[in-house]
Amino acid sequence: MKWWKTPKAAVVWTILRVWLGIQWLEAGWHKVADGFNAGGFMQGAIAQAAGDHPAVQGWYAGFLENVALPNADLFSTLVAWGEVLVGIGLILGAATIPALIAGAFMNLNFLLAGTTSTNPILYTAAIILLFTGAGAYYWGVDRFAIPYIKTMMKGGHGIGNKEAHNH
């Protein structure tokens, strides 16, 4: 077993994972509870695509202007609930790898939209946890759920891979 997947190292990854999950849950919960409209954010990002040294690349501003902004309600809902679900997944260590990928993808999009804030820190934490692989969820639901799901997909019947007896 590689050192970063050991139970002792996994304690550090768990602390980082739970901290990251709390950041996502808090950010998303406020959006869900208070209402959130990403339209203004998108318009601000589009405006940052002008000038000699734009903070937002033209291709991304084009995406925002032609795809995201006309569907601002959908994107607002996806962002708010995506942040909540990423947070819950990371806190519990459930669907950890998909949650890390989704979180990193959101951070990348926020960065592409010209918003620095905590995004580089959260993005870096997600990438580090992705590199730890199973170490990221050693102390989490996935430690038990993933082997169970793999057994079920192979035609097994649950924990311990015991075959059902038909009488």
Side-chain angles (χ1 to χ4, degrees):
M1 180 178 285
K2 296 183 171 124
W3 71 267
W4 59 86
K5 293 183 181 182
T6 64
K8 288 181 183 178
V11 170
V12 175
W13 308 137
T14 300
I15 292 167
L16 181 60
R17 188 194 77 225
V18 170
W19 172 83
L20 185 59
I22 291 168
Q23 304 310 303
W24 280 111
L25 182 59
E26 286 179 345
W29 184 250
H30 293 296
K31 290 177 179 79
V32 169
D34 301 335
F36 174 65
N37 184 338
F41 173 80
M42 293 179 209
Q43 289 173 339
I46 293 165
Q48 293 184 62
D52 291 337
H53 302 287
V56 176
Q57 295 295 304
W59 67 268
Y60 194 76
F63 164 75
L64 291 174
E65 190 170 21
N66 298 308
V67 178
L69 193 56
N71 299 293
D73 289 342
L74 173 63
F75 277 83
S76 298
T77 301
L78 290 174
V79 167
W81 282 104
E83 289 179 357
V84 167
L85 293 172
V86 165
I88 292 170
L90 293 178
I91 290 167
L92 298 176
T96 307
I97 301 302
L100 288 167
I101 291 169
F105 181 73
M106 284 190 285
N107 285 132
L108 180 60
N109 276 276
F110 301 151
L111 287 164
L112 287 169
T115 303
T116 306
S117 183
T118 59
N119 289 303
I121 295 166
L122 301 180
Y123 182 80
T124 302
I127 296 300
I128 289 168
L129 289 169
L130 281 168
F131 275 105
T132 69
Y137 56 78
Y138 184 88
W139 299 109
V141 171
D142 285 344
R143 178 177 171 196
F144 306 100
I146 290 174
Y148 179 79
I149 291 167
K150 284 181 178 179
T151 300
M152 295 303 289
M153 291 184 74
K154 289 181 181 176
H157 297 283
I159 298 174
N161 200 17
K162 295 179 183 175
E163 296 294 324
H165 295 285
N166 296 326
H167 295 282

